[in-house]
């Protein structure tokens, strides 16, 4: 009998369904691939919204040039843009203020991902009207994100130094107590100046509302010369309390290596607060008296910071691996060039909040570049500093703001180094947010010394972010509400707290903290002989 082969109809149905599903899946995957490619293409071709300069002929600015920021799409490190502006009778030459020399891969503070070029177009004919006319002609050129004037920022009138006789200083009880806590052996490990009368007058280090510097030094770190701080300012004069820590820098306004701070003295005073070595037996001591100080001079003949020079100084800091920049200046005008230069830099940028005695959170009262401590892509690497006096009160002149000022630090009656051509003694008492800022810079440099001596191999931009968090999360609130609503941290600078609660605490040898704040993510293998007798409480 012939056998008949019977096929189950359900098999055909299953095969058909599989074919349909395969077709649908292939279509989805293909379209997803196209969508991803299209998305990537769109991402690569995103056009940044143009920013238009609003300067007019009555404003103060350099009449010889126009500054230009190139958008991200058209920016490449050291790219030539001569053809874009077609050099002719109007534009005499073009200078790239963001030119980087050497091996780009080795530049640890270069923000390659968000890099924007900054150009300086030198005009053939000097006049304010020519500057404005040139801006109008070129601002709509493809690739130009912003074109504008080369302006200035200043110190503020209150920050003019005032010579004081040392006998006028009042040593608070807090200073006396701090000094009494230093044993003979402790003093022996500190600079010569610790035994002098001027050190006792440094209430910003020692007083009731000072930063508790001696406790930070004795318990955590005395700093390190491996940390480099760039002082964007008027230069640093020769001084016996500074010479040990100051290395060669540059004058970006005059384009030479002379950075001797003549005739202002502002940068010398700032540098003394950050890192005076205390070499002189009756000198002063900086917050980090072992730090390396680099003078980055940007002041013009009218004693103001010039914006193009500041941009070049920041680029130089990128080229030379400067860890922290101190910028004790600012103003009401926002310059896109300065904002761009800071964004290109991945180190820590510490700046003064200004001396206008106003809330700088809103509108026309905002202060720059300190406002970049918020609401910009690089704000986690910018600290804005206001000033207090020895009684813990806000200085009358200091700006404040719950968002635009991060922290307060000593800024009134501050004894620091001064050029001898300003004061023959070599020391002055001074005031203003310019001098509160270097206290924060000094503490930041102490924290950097911990990171540099660790074995965690953290990214440098990440270190800047963590140092800012550490400083702001560990302020001194002084058990009252006087700083609440006045700054984002709600308190005043405290070096001891910041160093004590730094996330770089090696609790277990070979293990450490990673990207989560204060969260340890290491592993420990346990061999338990009697599991029934062990209870493990797991904590997040």
């Amino acid at each position: 009998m012939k056998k008949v082969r019977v096929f189950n109809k359900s098999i055909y149905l299953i095969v058909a369904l599989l074919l349909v599903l395969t077709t649908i899946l292939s279509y989805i995957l293909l379209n997803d691939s196209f969508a991803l490619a299209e998305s990537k293409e769109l991402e690569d071709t995103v056009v940044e919204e143009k920013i238009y300069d609003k300067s007019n002929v009555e404003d103060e600015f350099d009449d010889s040039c126009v500054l230009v920021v190139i958008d991200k799409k058209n920016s490449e490190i050291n790219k030539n843009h001569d053809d874009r502006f077609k050099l002719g009778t109007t534009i005499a030459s073009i200078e790239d203020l963001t030119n980087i020399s050497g091996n780009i891969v080795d530049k640890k503070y270069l923000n390659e991902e968000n890099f924007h070029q900054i150009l300086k177009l030198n005009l053939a004919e000097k006049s304010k009207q020519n500057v404005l006319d040139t801006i109008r002609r070129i601002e709509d050129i493809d690739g130009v994100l912003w074109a504008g004037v080369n302006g200035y920022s200043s110190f503020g009138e209150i920050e003019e130094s005032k010579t004081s006789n040392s006998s006028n200083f009042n040593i608070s009880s807090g200073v006396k107590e701090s000094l009494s806590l230093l044993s003979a052996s402790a003093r022996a490990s500190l600079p010569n100046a610790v035994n002098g009368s001027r050190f006792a007058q440094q209430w910003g280090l020692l007083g009731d509302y000072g930063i508790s510097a001696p406790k930070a030094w004795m318990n955590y770190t005395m700093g390190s010369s491996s940390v480099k701080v760039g002082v964007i300012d008027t230069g640093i004069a020769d001084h016996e309390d500074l010479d040990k820590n100051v290395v060669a820098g540059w004058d970006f306004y005059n384009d030479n290596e002379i950075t001797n701070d003549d005739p202002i003295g502002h940068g010398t005073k700032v540098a003394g607060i950050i890192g005076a070595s205390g070499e002189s037996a009756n000198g002063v001591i900086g917050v980090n008296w072992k730090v390396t100080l680099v003078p980055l001079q940007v002041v013009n003949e009218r004693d103001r910071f010039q914006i193009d020079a500041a941009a070049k100084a920041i680029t130089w800091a990128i080229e030379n691996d400067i860890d922290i920049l101190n910028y004790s200046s600012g103003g009401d005008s926002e310059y896109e060039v300065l904002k761009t230069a800071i964004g290109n830099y991945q180190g820590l940028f510490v700046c003064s909040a200004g001396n206008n005695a106003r809330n700088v959170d809103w509108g026309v009262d905002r202060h720059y570049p300190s406002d970049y401590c918020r609401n910009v892509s690089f704000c986690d690497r910018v600290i804005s500093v206001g000033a207090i006096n020895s009684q813990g009160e806000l200085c009358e002149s200091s700006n404040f703001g719950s968002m635009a000022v991060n922290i307060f630090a000593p800024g009134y009656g501050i004894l620091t180094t001064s050029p001898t051509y300003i004061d023959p003694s070599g020391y002055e008492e001074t005031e203003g947010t310019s001098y509160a800022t270097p206290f924060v810079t000094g503490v930041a440099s102490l924290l950097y010394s911990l990171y540099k001596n660790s074995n965690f191999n953290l990214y440098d931009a990440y270190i800047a972010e963590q140092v800012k968090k550490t400083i702001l999360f560990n302020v001194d609130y002084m058990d009252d509400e006087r700083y609440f609503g006045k700054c984002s941290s709600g308190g005043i600078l405290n070096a001891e707290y910041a160093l004590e609660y730094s996330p770089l605490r090696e609790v277990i040898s070979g293990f450490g903290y990673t990207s989560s704040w204060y969260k340890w993510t290491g592993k420990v293998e346990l061999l338990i002989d009697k599991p029934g007798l062990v209870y493990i409480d797991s904590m997040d």
Side-chain angles (χ1 to χ4, degrees):
M1 184 178 180
K2 188 176 181 180
K3 292 183 180 180
V4 179
R5 197 170 185 179
V6 180
F7 293 93
N8 192 329
K9 292 182 179 180
S10 62
I11 294 175
Y12 290 106
L13 182 60
I14 291 169
V15 171
L17 285 172
L18 287 172
L19 287 171
V20 171
L21 288 172
T22 301
T23 303
I24 292 172
L25 183 61
S26 298
Y27 178 80
I28 291 172
L29 290 173
L30 183 62
N31 277 275
D32 278 350
S33 298
F34 282 125
L36 286 170
E38 185 178 359
S39 173
K40 182 67 169 65
E41 184 178 348
L42 285 172
E43 181 183 331
D44 290 342
T45 58
V46 166
V47 177
E48 297 170 277
E49 186 175 348
K50 283 184 177 288
I51 304 164
Y52 291 94
D53 183 80
K54 299 178 181 178
S55 301
N56 58 63
V57 75
E58 285 79 26
D59 294 335
E60 288 190 283
F61 57 85
D62 182 358
D63 65 357
S64 67
C65 65
V66 170
L67 300 183
V68 175
V69 174
I70 302 297
D71 63 24
K72 183 178 176 181
K73 175 186 173 184
N74 290 280
S75 287
E76 295 176 16
I77 296 170
N78 302 337
K79 180 179 179 180
N80 186 299
H81 289 274
D82 288 0
D83 291 341
R84 192 177 300 276
F85 300 99
K86 302 192 183 305
L87 290 173
T89 56
T90 302
I91 300 171
S93 62
I94 298 178
E95 179 185 0
D96 184 354
L97 303 185
T98 49
N99 183 270
I100 304 290
S101 61
N103 190 346
I104 304 303
V105 177
D106 294 336
K107 309 303 180 187
K108 62 182 182 181
Y109 288 127
L110 173 62
N111 188 359
E112 282 192 79
E113 184 178 349
N114 252 333
F115 179 77
H116 287 73
Q117 279 182 283
I118 303 171
L119 307 179
K120 181 179 180 181
L121 312 185
N122 296 302
L123 304 184
E125 180 183 342
K126 291 184 180 181
S127 83
K128 283 189 166 185
Q129 191 58 55
N130 191 26
V131 169
L132 298 176
D133 291 344
T134 303
I135 291 171
R136 300 289 89 83
R137 285 198 297 270
I138 68 174
E139 59 189 354
D140 285 322
I141 291 177
D142 180 48
V144 173
L145 178 63
W146 173 89
V149 301
N150 184 19
Y152 319 101
S153 66
S154 62
F155 314 126
E157 291 183 4
I158 192 66
E159 297 180 280
E160 293 294 331
S161 298
K162 301 187 301 183
T163 303
S164 298
N165 187 297
S166 61
S167 62
N168 293 331
F169 286 92
N170 292 316
I171 302 178
S172 71
S173 60
V175 171
K176 292 177 181 177
E177 181 182 354
S178 296
L179 288 172
S180 67
L181 292 175
L182 292 176
S183 64
S185 60
R187 287 175 181 270
S189 64
L190 296 174
N192 295 331
V194 74
N195 297 306
S197 62
R198 287 195 173 93
F199 180 62
Q201 296 156 12
Q202 292 187 261
W203 77 265
L205 300 179
L206 305 158
D208 293 334
Y209 293 89
I211 67 170
S212 297
K215 291 181 180 179
W217 297 333
M218 301 311 302
N219 295 325
Y220 303 105
T221 181
M222 293 184 184
S224 170
S225 60
S226 65
V227 180
K228 293 188 286 187
V229 173
V231 182
I232 300 180
D233 217 291
T234 64
I236 302 175
D238 292 337
H239 194 288
E240 59 185 340
D241 278 342
L242 293 172
D243 292 345
K244 181 179 179 180
N245 292 337
V246 176
V247 297
W250 197 258
D251 179 345
F252 297 93
Y253 179 72
N254 295 302
D255 194 26
N256 61 44
E257 59 186 5
I258 303 171
T259 56
N260 59 3
D261 199 3
D262 182 20
I264 310 302
H266 189 272
T268 303
K269 297 160 197 169
V270 167
I273 297 168
I274 299 170
S277 66
E279 286 288 287
S280 173
N282 195 28
V284 294
I285 302 177
V287 178
N288 183 350
W289 36 276
K290 291 185 177 180
V291 73
T292 294
L293 297 169
V294 187
L296 307 176
Q297 191 164 317
V298 298
V299 70
N300 62 19
E301 66 276 358
R302 299 179 66 185
D303 303 339
R304 292 184 293 180
F305 286 23
Q306 189 139 319
I307 297 304
D308 67 322
K312 287 193 284 187
I314 294 170
T315 300
W316 192 93
I318 294 171
E319 286 194 280
N320 292 277
D321 294 337
I322 305 298
D323 302 297
I324 305 168
L325 289 174
N326 188 99
Y327 193 89
S328 288
S329 181
D332 299 339
S333 300
E334 181 177 18
Y335 295 104
E336 197 64 28
V337 161
L338 187 55
K339 179 180 179 181
T340 300
I342 300 169
N344 286 342
Y345 172 66
Q346 293 198 115
L348 186 67
F349 192 87
V350 188
C351 48
S352 54
N355 301 298
N356 311 103
R358 67 191 188 202
N359 187 328
V360 289
D361 276 346
W362 312 108
V364 295
D365 289 331
R366 292 165 78 167
H367 182 269
Y368 301 96
S370 59
D371 197 73
Y372 301 141
C373 72
R374 58 164 178 169
N375 299 334
V376 294
S377 61
F378 53 87
C379 62
D380 48 10
R381 303 191 301 274
V382 176
I383 303 179
S384 168
V385 188
I388 60 168
N389 62 26
S390 61
Q391 303 306 310
E393 303 294 341
L394 266 63
C395 291
E396 290 183 4
S397 60
S398 178
N399 286 341
F400 57 91
S402 61
M403 297 176 288
V405 178
N406 290 139
I407 193 170
F408 293 107
Y412 185 90
I414 304 301
L415 183 62
T416 183
T417 51
S418 175
T420 53
Y421 52 75
I422 291 179
D423 189 300
S425 72
Y427 304 93
E428 276 194 286
E429 180 189 9
T430 191
E431 63 183 86
T433 57
S434 273
Y435 306 108
T437 303
F439 276 96
V440 176
T441 298
V443 173
S445 68
L446 289 174
L447 284 163
Y448 263 78
S449 69
L450 294 182
Y451 281 93
K452 283 181 172 288
N453 291 326
S454 74
N455 297 314
F456 298 130
N457 297 319
L458 301 173
Y459 290 110
D460 296 286
Y462 175 81
I463 293 174
E465 297 168 14
Q466 296 308 311
V467 167
K468 176 177 178 175
K469 288 179 181 178
T470 302
I471 289 172
L472 300 192
F473 288 178
N474 298 289
V475 295
D476 194 340
Y477 299 106
M478 302 308 296
D479 298 323
D480 59 34
E481 298 181 357
R482 73 177 76 184
Y483 312 112
F484 291 176
K486 301 291 186 180
C487 66
S488 65
S489 67
I492 60 177
L493 178 68
N494 190 291
E496 180 191 12
Y497 293 172
L499 290 163
E500 179 181 1
Y501 296 107
S502 166
L504 278 177
R505 292 177 293 176
E506 299 187 46
V507 180
I508 302 176
S509 179
F511 296 90
Y513 295 89
T514 57
S515 58
S516 298
W517 193 246
Y518 285 117
K519 184 176 181 181
W520 178 64
T521 57
K523 295 180 180 180
V524 176
E525 294 183 3
L526 300 176
L527 180 62
I528 302 173
D529 294 331
K530 298 181 180 180
L533 299 178
V534 176
Y535 172 73
I536 298 177
D537 183 10
S538 176
M539 296 182 293
D540 292 332

